[in-house]
Amino acid sequence: MADELVLYTNPMSRGRIARWMLEEIGQPYKTEVIDYASTMKAPAYLAINPMGKVPALRHGDAVVTETAAICAYLADAFPQAKLAPPPGHRLRAPYYRWLFFSAGPAEAAISNKSLGFVVPPERERMIGYGNIAQVLNTLEAALSRSDYLAGESFTAADLYVGAQLGFSMMFNTIEKRPVFERYWQRVSSRPACQRAKELDDAQAAELKKAAS
Ligand SMILES: N[C@@H](CCC(=O)N[C@@H](CS)C(=O)NCC(=O)O)C(=O)O
């Protein structure tokens, strides 16, 4: 029997990105909702993710945390879904590049921007992302060159970068640049993204109803 896939998530979290990835993979999985006010910092969940944050994924006895790592893990664990260039392939270079760029510098830059934190210009050289304009210009240039970030087809890097840009534009954390909007439209119109959205929206509505 195949190892069980369990996504520890909350529909109002980055867990939405991990669910989208699971829908792309097309394997059966279960979700366990972790509640911000109770189970998130309870010992049972801290044993899975000591950060007390979602998402986390369990695959048999393997646990992966960090949304980008979950996406990369699933792409490699289920190569038949063709969501990553094979290990050793040259396209692995842009694939890693944009996945790590988005999970590291871009995520930090966008989070800091949403908090109104501006790196003093004289300190930019010691901050991995420099400044937010540099990050967004770099992504804009990469996305202007081709439809996808690693070769001619959609990969987990597009899923992760697309979700970050899409959600950030939705929450007005970054400006809506036409290149970002076209890219988000392209990747979010995928059936797996739509299914994940419906499932998470339904789960969010259930939680809201249960709380009222
Ligand atoms: N770097 C982590 C961030 C995870 C994260 O911050 N998750 C938030 C929800 S989007 C969370 O669980 N917050 C609960 C808390 O910190 O108590 C990732 O990419 O998965």
Side-chain angles (χ1 to χ4, degrees):
M1 205 175 86
D3 283 338
E4 183 181 49
L5 280 165
V6 181
L7 177 66
Y8 300 89
T9 187
N10 185 292
M12 307 304 286
S13 80
R14 291 163 171 91
R16 294 178 84 98
I17 304 174
R19 189 201 281 274
W20 175 10
M21 186 67 194
L22 281 160
E23 289 293 325
E24 292 280 356
I25 292 297
Q27 298 293 316
Y29 65 94
K30 290 197 321 200
T31 56
E32 196 169 308
V33 174
I34 306 296
D35 173 48
Y36 283 108
S38 56
T39 44
M40 191 74 74
K41 308 292 179 197
Y45 186 61
L46 290 178
I48 291 161
N49 184 0
M51 289 290 286
K53 283 180 173 288
V54 286
L57 179 81
R58 188 168 60 70
H59 183 203
D61 57 7
V63 170
V64 204
T65 66
E66 296 304 312
T67 311
I70 292 171
C71 294
Y73 173 82
L74 286 170
D76 286 351
F78 299 96
Q80 63 274 27
K82 296 194 183 333
L83 291 169
H89 193 285
R90 291 225 172 171
L91 285 175
R92 202 78 173 184
Y95 172 75
Y96 277 143
R97 176 186 185 179
W98 297 115
L99 205 48
F100 282 65
F101 181 78
S102 194
E107 151 109 19
I110 294 169
S111 298
N112 280 344
K113 181 172 183 291
S114 74
L115 296 174
F117 177 75
V118 178
V119 178
E122 69 279 10
R123 309 307 293 273
E124 283 178 4
R125 71 166 68 160
M126 63 166 287
I127 297 296
Y129 67 82
N131 62 56
I132 182 81
Q134 241 179 316
V135 167
L136 297 181
N137 292 343
T138 299
L139 280 171
E140 186 175 20
L143 294 170
S144 302
R145 283 193 289 271
S146 61
D147 283 356
Y148 299 109
L149 289 166
E152 300 302 314
S153 57
F154 177 87
T155 66
D158 294 296
L159 187 154
Y160 187 74
V161 173
Q164 249 198 15
L165 290 174
F167 293 144
S168 302
M169 286 192 290
M170 206 179 296
F171 293 118
N172 290 316
T173 319
I174 62 168
E175 70 250 24
K176 293 185 172 69
R177 298 189 182 187
V179 170
F180 296 161
E181 287 187 301
R182 281 197 295 275
Y183 180 60
W184 175 233
Q185 174 59 36
R186 186 176 315 125
V187 298
S188 67
S189 61
R190 294 176 63 83
C193 183
Q194 300 296 319
R195 279 198 306 277
K197 182 180 179 323
E198 277 165 27
L199 290 165
D200 275 323
D201 287 351
Q203 206 164 49
E206 256 175 52
L207 291 177
K208 200 170 162 194
K209 199 167 151 200
S212 63

